[in-house]
Amino acid sequence: MIKKIVEGYGNLFNTFGKIIALVVACAALGAAFVFPLWKFATEAPRIYTIAVLSALVAAAVFVCVKKITESGIRKFTLGLSKAVVVALGIVLCVKFVLDGNRILAIPTIIASIVLYGVISFGFKKAKSN
């Protein structure tokens, strides 16, 4: 009986030790990445901004090229246009509300929904018999 209790506490402390080791490893890796980035951002903000924006543009181009090669240009363009319509509708709606033109937000929402429907369902290829 005492052996089982000691074994149970041993397993419990072993688990706690693993959790603590994981937390320490995550904190160390986080500090290893965050501190140099923070130092770079505070000492050379313009260069940091250019570097981050360049990395984002490169990632976006990579994702777009990958999607185009996987699914084709037509499917990619339709997906991109749907995303742009939704994002633009939301941004314009929020802009109108914040500018005090709340009445313009309603037609914006309606136009976004209609345009999304046209893009989603209006450009389907007709099936040949």
Side-chain angles (χ1 to χ4, degrees):
M1 181 169 158
I2 292 180
K3 183 179 178 184
K4 284 186 177 182
I5 292 172
V6 170
E7 189 176 300
Y9 276 116
N11 288 338
L12 182 68
F13 288 129
N14 188 17
T15 303
F16 282 143
K18 288 179 183 176
I19 290 172
I20 290 172
L22 182 64
V23 168
V24 168
C26 287
L29 283 173
F33 284 109
V34 170
F35 182 73
L37 287 175
W38 168 78
K39 194 76 168 162
F40 183 32
T42 56
E43 289 186 2
R46 290 183 186 205
I47 297 172
Y48 177 78
T49 302
I50 292 169
V52 169
L53 288 178
S54 299
L56 287 174
V57 168
V61 168
F62 175 76
V63 168
C64 289
V65 168
K66 185 177 177 185
K67 290 285 185 183
I68 289 172
T69 57
E70 287 176 357
S71 62
I73 188 74
R74 180 176 170 82
K75 191 172 181 182
F76 171 77
T77 306
L78 285 175
L80 182 64
S81 61
K82 285 191 258 186
V84 168
V85 165
V86 169
L88 195 59
I90 291 170
V91 167
L92 284 176
C93 205
V94 168
K95 180 192 178 314
F96 287 144
V97 169
L98 293 178
D99 286 346
N101 298 326
R102 291 175 184 86
I103 199 71
L104 290 177
I106 295 169
T108 303
I109 292 172
I110 294 170
S112 296
I113 292 171
V114 169
L115 191 56
Y116 182 84
V118 168
I119 292 170
S120 294
F121 310 115
F123 293 127
K124 299 289 182 186
K125 286 186 177 179
K127 293 183 181 180
S128 59
N129 292 333

